Amino acid sequence: MFNHANQNTVRLNIWQQNLNTSLVAQESLLNSPEISNWDVLAIQEPHINFLRNTRANHHWHVLYPTHHLTHPEQRSRAVTLVKSQLDTNTWKQIPFPSSDVVIIQLTGTYGNCTIFNIYNDGE
């Protein structure tokens, strides 16, 4: 969650990892005791099951790319998890026309903070 070091500083903890579509790696990440220290998980190549869902637990809101449901022929290669303790009135997903990008914007007394989770295949 947001940590307030003093009245002028807000800290947001973001974890980024490429899971190479591994269910074992994703379950390991989600069940790690250290993961409770993070507010946002920016995951590239998450495990996606045959129902086109990724794995998460009740501690996280799952954000898929905007095209996840409307373009089923394209595999979603980026997923962002937002800690469920963060007030849903303080963040929103920004639409973007790609199955490889998830954008969220957080808003608070600090202004706006936009996070881009991008899968880059290197080609």
Side-chain angles (χ1 to χ4, degrees), residues 39-109:
D39 303 305
V40 176
L41 306 181
I43 299 173
Q44 293 83 45
E45 292 192 286
H47 172 77
I48 304 284
N49 67 20
F50 71 98
L51 296 172
R52 297 184 35 83
N53 293 320
T54 194
R55 290 279 180 102
N57 56 38
H58 67 281
H59 298 291
W60 303 99
H61 294 286
V62 179
L63 302 176
Y64 293 96
T66 307
H67 280 183
H68 182 73
L69 295 176
T70 58
H71 293 77
E73 70 283 357
Q74 297 175 358
R75 186 180 183 285
S76 296
R77 298 187 289 184
V79 169
T80 300
L81 279 63
V82 178
K83 186 177 268 185
S84 59
Q85 290 176 330
L86 293 181
D87 184 352
T88 55
N89 293 315
T90 64
W91 60 267
K92 64 182 176 181
Q93 183 170 0
I94 306 295
F96 191 84
S98 172
S99 294
D100 293 339
V101 178
V102 179
I103 303 171
I104 63 170
Q105 186 173 73
L106 298 103
T107 304
T109 57

Side-chain angles (χ1 to χ4, degrees), residues 1-65:
M1 75 183 87
F2 285 104
N3 296 319
H4 296 275
N6 62 45
Q7 288 186 324
N8 299 323
T9 303
V10 177
R11 180 172 294 155
L12 178 68
N13 297 308
I14 303 170
W15 178 276
Q16 181 276 323
Q17 185 171 352
N18 186 314
L19 298 176
N20 199 29
T21 71
S22 170
L23 175 59
V24 172
Q26 191 154 341
E27 291 289 346
S28 177
L29 174 65
L30 291 170
N31 292 306
S32 168
E34 293 84 25
I35 207 66
S36 65
N37 298 324
W38 302 93
D39 303 305
V40 176
L41 306 181
I43 299 173
Q44 293 83 45
E45 292 192 286
H47 172 77
I48 304 284
N49 67 20
F50 71 98
L51 296 172
R52 297 184 35 83
N53 293 320
T54 194
R55 290 279 180 102
N57 56 38
H58 67 281
H59 298 291
W60 303 99
H61 294 286
V62 179
L63 302 176
Y64 293 96

